């Protein structure tokens, strides 16, 4: 049987990046078909680290309440040497994006929450047991040919037609291979044994990285009483040997009194990979998540990098599909995401080399150097607060330079000679980085996160002014076509007064924590253009706003067509996270028919 199904976007792979992208597109009203080769979601543990940027995206799609129970907030990491002495602590306490910087999490449960969240969208369909074997692309569309095998062993082909396709099938991505892009990097020869157990026999809720030259190891406390160990394997140790229960028990003997009595989930050997695709897009096909980059595990950034991809790509696909932006907007996906993915790969590889030193002399030197450096508070806090982790900073893409108003580029510093710039506490440009998410008050809500107040599309945020008073009418008309929300931020003491004199279509947010005031006080940019992914597209003095806006619109290939598909608020989470999704699941019985 040969059937054809139509949608706006085809997503190949029901892993975390694909599921999140489907949620974002579903939130924006786009029709989506997800094709997964497996018969169900993967149910064994894989990723263990979830960061604040990802949680902000989870917040945007309205799934915080279903994800939160499967996380350990404030997941502290301690690096210990062979003697068990702590030589480095990573315990960032900042919550600038609204959530704790690090969480431990159970990936199968969180992935399932993302999957079940799709039941809210009747225009999003998920088909398991559909293996995409070929893709046809023409000037205006793509068609995926998926093979479905029934319980009787017979196969049928289904054709799925869409305007765009995104491959999220993991590191061996057939989509990436079809596109012919390179996958450059390295796969270190070091292998590791992963051991996951239930009923955590240790109970310590955080992470220990054992930089023991005899055998480096990792011990991780996870939600739901799951414990993970990872042991570096020596040359000559075979997979059959190290996964043998007796061998595993011997490795665990230094960690628990009775390894044989543990409730094992799995024992598996894996090799770290550090690779990034040369391009994330060719024509009407794109890649995301592990298909676009493979992260070594040391920084816990594999899952999170996939979330960043989906967050960046989701709103852009929606803008193009709705007619608001031209196809060229999708080229900024690679220019914005590739460099940061590479930076995270490089950092993870470097960190891994620091941990897995096996030469006793080199390990002693490392430990001694760490002990000396820990005596300097600034150095100690550099690691404790995780300031070594490169935050995404886009220098090319949907941006406008704050000094020159150049379209599509943003330098790292503001170089204007105006006195407000020369006297600012910082001239580091806020353009191309994420805007913070403090809590605010509004007329209808108290102490809510900023994103929940302003919605999930474009925002113009002005400190101390009504945006309508400082923007000319032509700019206001362009912003209306863009669907941007106009927001005035004021100290909480002024909020009720400001609400009396501000237009009804302008949201007034009261800064009761002082964190917004501090942000604007430090920077000579009282007007900020926020993208749907909460990155700053432009920041400027109000008189530069018209030119800055025009530069941003040019960079996103804005067509001038009015916004029609974005929602003012993220959808509510499912009322029952255990309920079965309403979208199709290809069960074996269905496949047989």
């Amino acid at each position: 049987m040969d059937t054809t199904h139509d949608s706006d976007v085809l997503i190949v792979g029901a892993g975390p990046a694909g599921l999140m992208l489907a949620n974002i597109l579903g939130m924006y009203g786009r029709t989506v078909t997800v094709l997964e080769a497996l018969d169900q979601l993967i149910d064994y543990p894989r990723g263990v680290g979830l960061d604040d940027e990802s949680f902000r995206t989870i917040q945007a799609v309205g799934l915080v309440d279903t994800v939160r129970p499967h996380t350990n907030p404030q997941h502290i990491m301690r690096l210990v040497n062979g003697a068990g002495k702590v030589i480095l602590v990573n315990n960032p306490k900042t919550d600038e994006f609204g959530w704790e910087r690090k969480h431990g999490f159970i990936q199968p449960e969180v992935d399932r929450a993302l999957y079940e969240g799709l039941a809210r969208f009747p225009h999003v369909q998920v088909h398991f047991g559909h293996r995409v074997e070929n893709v046809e692309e023409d000037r205006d569309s793509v068609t995926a040919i998926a093979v479905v095998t029934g319980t009787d062993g017979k196969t049928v082909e289904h054709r799925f037609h869409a305007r765009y396709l995104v491959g999220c099938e993991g590191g061996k991505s057939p989509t990436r291979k079809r596109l012919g892009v390179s996958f450059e990097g390295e796969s270190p020869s070091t292998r590791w044994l992963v051991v996951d157990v239930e009923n955590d026999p240790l109970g310590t809720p955080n992470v220990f990285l054992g930089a023991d030259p005899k055998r480096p190891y990792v011990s991780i406390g996870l939600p739901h009483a799951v414990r993970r160990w990872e042991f570096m394997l020596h040359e000559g140790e075979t997979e059959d040997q190290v996964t043998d229960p007796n061998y595993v028990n011997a490795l665990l003997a230094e960690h628990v009194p009775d390894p044989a009595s543990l409730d094992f989930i799995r024992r598996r050997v894996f090799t770290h990979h550090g690779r990034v695709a040369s391009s994330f897009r060719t024509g009407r096909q794109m890649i995301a998540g592990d298909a676009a980059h493979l992260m070594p595990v040391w920084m816990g950034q594999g899952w999170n990098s996939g979330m960043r991809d989906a967050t960046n790509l989701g709103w852009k696909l929606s803008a193009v599909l709705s007619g608001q932006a031209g196809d060229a907007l999708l080229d900024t996906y690679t220019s914005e995401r590739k460099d940061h993915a590479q930076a995270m790969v490089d950092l993870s590889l470097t960190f891994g080399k620091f941990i897995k030193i096996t030469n006793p002399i080199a390990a002693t030197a490392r430990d001694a150097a760490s002990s000396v450096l820990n005596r300097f508070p600034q150095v100690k806090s550099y690691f404790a607060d995780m300031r070594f982790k490169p935050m995404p900073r886009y220098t090319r893409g949907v941006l406008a330079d704050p000094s020159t108003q150049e379209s599509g580029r943003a330098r790292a510093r503001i170089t204007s000679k105006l006195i407000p710039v020369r006297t600012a506490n910082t001239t580091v440009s806020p353009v191309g980085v994420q805007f913070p998410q403090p809590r605010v008050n509004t007329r209808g809500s108290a102490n809510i996160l900023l994103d929940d107040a302003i919605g999930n599309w474009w925002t113009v945020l002005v400190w101390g002014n009504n945006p309508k008073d400082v923007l000319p009418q032509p700019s206001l008309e362009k912003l209306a076509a863009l669907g941007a929300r106009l927001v005035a931020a004021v100290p909480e003491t002024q909020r009720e007064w400001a609400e009396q004199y501000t237009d009804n279509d302008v949201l007034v947010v009261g800064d009761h924590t002082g964190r917004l005031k501090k942000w604007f006080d430090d920077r000579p940019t009282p007007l900020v253009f926020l993208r749907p992914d909460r990155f700053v597209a432009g920041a400027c003095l109000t008189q530069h706003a018209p030119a800055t806006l025009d530069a941003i619109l040019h960079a996103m290939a804005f067509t001038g067509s009015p916004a029609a598909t974005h929602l003012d608020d993220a959808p509510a989470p499912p009322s029952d996270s255990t309920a079965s999704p309403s979208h199709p699941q290809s069960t074996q019985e269905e496949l047989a028919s």
Side-chain angles (χ1 to χ4, degrees):
M1 181 174 66
D2 191 330
T3 57
T4 301
H5 309 269
D6 289 307
S7 55
D8 290 330
V9 179
L10 286 174
I11 297 173
V12 183
L19 293 171
M20 178 54 81
L21 181 59
N23 272 280
I24 293 171
L25 291 169
M27 175 179 72
Y28 289 135
R30 309 318 314 177
T31 57
V32 181
T33 300
V34 182
L35 303 177
E36 169 55 53
L38 299 177
D39 292 329
Q40 59 185 358
L41 296 178
I42 296 175
D43 63 355
Y44 56 79
R46 288 160 292 151
V48 294
L50 191 162
D51 66 20
D52 51 349
E53 297 172 62
S54 294
F55 231 111
R56 193 173 189 178
T57 299
I58 292 166
Q59 173 196 350
V61 297
L63 293 177
V64 165
D65 290 344
T66 56
V67 167
R68 196 77 162 157
H70 309 301
T71 66
N72 278 345
Q74 211 63 44
H75 212 208
I76 302 169
M77 184 275 288
R78 296 182 178 91
L79 180 64
V80 299
N81 62 17
K85 179 182 178 182
V86 175
I87 58 177
L88 185 152
V89 175
N90 175 221
N91 182 23
K93 297 178 181 177
T94 180
D95 61 352
E96 63 181 310
F97 298 139
W99 303 96
E100 298 86 355
R101 177 59 59 88
K102 295 176 61 181
H103 306 73
F105 80 122
I106 301 295
Q107 182 177 343
E109 296 296 338
V110 172
D111 287 358
R112 180 159 294 279
L114 298 182
Y115 166 63
E116 291 177 346
L118 296 175
R120 301 168 294 173
F121 310 117
H123 47 284
V124 176
Q125 305 288 312
V126 180
H127 298 281
F128 290 100
H130 281 59
R131 187 178 70 256
V132 175
E133 292 205 335
N134 194 21
V135 174
E136 300 169 353
E137 179 177 344
D138 58 33
R139 182 173 145 183
D140 301 314
S141 64
V142 290
T143 301
I145 296 92
V147 173
V148 183
T149 303
T151 53
D152 59 0
K154 295 181 179 179
T155 61
V156 294
E157 283 190 353
H158 291 274
R159 299 174 68 86
F160 294 87
H161 183 262
R163 289 178 60 185
Y164 293 97
L165 180 148
V166 185
C168 305
E169 326 100 306
K172 297 180 180 179
S173 169
T175 301
R176 185 188 66 246
K177 294 174 182 176
R178 278 195 305 270
L179 298 185
V181 298
S182 62
F183 202 35
E184 300 168 357
E186 59 181 280
S187 296
S189 58
T190 308
R191 297 167 304 134
W192 292 76
L193 172 68
V194 175
V195 180
D196 291 314
V197 303
E198 294 182 302
N199 303 316
D200 184 357
L202 303 185
T204 50
N206 295 302
V207 183
F208 289 92
L209 301 183
D212 186 343
K214 291 183 295 183
R215 189 187 295 271
Y217 68 89
V218 182
S219 177
I220 308 173
L222 294 170
H224 308 333
V226 172
R227 166 69 50 175
R228 168 169 294 183
W229 281 280
E230 299 178 12
F231 298 97
M232 195 177 89
L233 301 181
H234 298 310
E235 188 174 352
E237 292 179 312
T238 67
E239 183 166 351
D240 288 342
Q241 176 186 4
V242 300
T243 55
D244 179 83
N246 292 328
Y247 201 94
V248 173
N249 291 346
L251 290 175
L252 291 172
E254 289 190 277
H255 295 262
V256 295
D258 184 11
S261 67
L262 296 176
D263 297 315
F264 290 93
I265 300 172
R266 69 165 181 164
R267 310 171 184 89
R268 177 174 174 263
V269 174
F270 74 97
T271 301
H272 295 173
H273 299 278
R275 298 183 178 275
V276 180
S278 57
S279 177
F280 295 2
R281 180 204 182 193
T282 299
R284 291 188 168 270
Q285 299 182 60
M286 286 146 277
I287 50 177
D290 286 354
H293 38 70
L294 284 173
M295 297 278 167
V297 302
W298 299 112
M299 299 303 300
Q301 289 299 303
W303 196 90
N304 296 294
S305 293
M307 293 300 105
R308 293 189 190 100
D309 292 344
T311 306
N312 186 287
L313 183 57
W315 74 267
K316 294 176 180 178
L317 276 169
S318 182
V320 171
L321 290 165
S322 69
Q324 269 208 318
D327 179 85
L329 172 60
L330 300 178
D331 289 334
T332 67
Y333 171 49
T334 296
S335 63
E336 292 185 350
R337 283 293 306 131
K338 182 176 182 293
D339 288 349
H340 184 259
Q342 185 66 63
M344 291 308 308
V345 165
D346 294 344
L347 177 64
S348 297
L349 286 170
T350 300
F351 197 61
K353 291 174 183 176
F354 180 79
I355 293 169
K356 62 184 185 182
I357 294 173
T358 54
N359 183 295
I361 296 175
T364 300
R366 174 201 59 201
D367 298 348
S370 299
S371 178
V372 171
L373 291 174
N374 269 325
R375 297 174 185 173
F376 296 91
Q378 285 185 323
V379 176
K380 189 174 182 178
S381 67
Y382 178 75
F383 290 101
D385 296 335
M386 211 171 175
R387 286 185 282 125
F388 56 86
K389 173 189 170 186
M391 296 300 293
R393 171 180 281 279
Y394 303 150
T395 58
R396 295 176 297 127
V398 185
L399 311 165
D401 187 83
S403 302
T404 65
Q405 290 77 58
E406 179 184 359
S407 177
R409 292 184 178 272
R411 295 163 186 82
R413 290 204 170 266
I414 305 173
T415 58
S416 168
K417 301 301 182 183
L418 289 172
I419 287 177
V421 175
R422 286 157 40 201
T423 58
N425 290 342
T426 179
T427 56
V428 175
S429 171
V431 176
V433 300
Q434 274 199 64
F435 194 75
Q437 186 184 199
R439 291 187 172 271
V440 297
N441 293 334
T442 67
R443 187 193 301 271
S445 302
N447 197 41
I448 62 172
L449 288 167
L450 179 66
D451 294 357
D452 291 338
I454 64 179
N456 61 22
W457 199 241
W458 284 85
T459 297
V460 179
L461 180 65
V462 185
W463 176 261
N465 267 309
N466 178 350
K468 285 194 167 183
D469 290 341
V470 297
L471 290 167
Q473 188 59 34
S475 295
L476 291 173
E477 291 171 358
K478 294 171 187 175
L479 289 168
L482 182 62
R485 189 159 201 177
L486 305 180
V487 180
V490 298
E492 175 60 20
T493 54
Q494 298 177 31
R495 180 176 58 82
E496 291 186 2
W497 175 88
E499 287 169 345
Q500 296 179 45
Y501 297 96
T502 303
D503 305 73
N504 290 333
D505 57 347
V506 175
L507 174 70
V508 178
V509 297
D511 175 32
H512 66 290
T513 67
R515 297 176 79 166
L516 273 177
K517 178 175 180 286
K518 176 68 168 60
W519 191 94
F520 282 103
D521 183 53
D522 284 343
R523 296 163 179 81
T525 52
L527 188 147
V528 178
F529 295 94
L530 295 183
R531 306 179 348 171
D533 57 7
R534 299 306 171 228
F535 278 75
V536 178
C540 57
L541 295 170
T542 56
Q543 291 182 354
H544 283 151
T548 301
L549 173 61
D550 288 346
I552 293 168
L553 296 179
H554 179 74
M556 71 172 285
F558 183 60
T559 64
S561 298
T565 59
H566 76 276
L567 308 178
D568 288 333
D569 298 292
S575 58
D576 181 1
S577 63
T578 63
S580 298
S582 61
H583 47 269
Q585 298 183 68
S586 296
T587 63
Q588 290 298 325
E589 289 76 18
E590 290 171 328
L591 299 182
S593 64

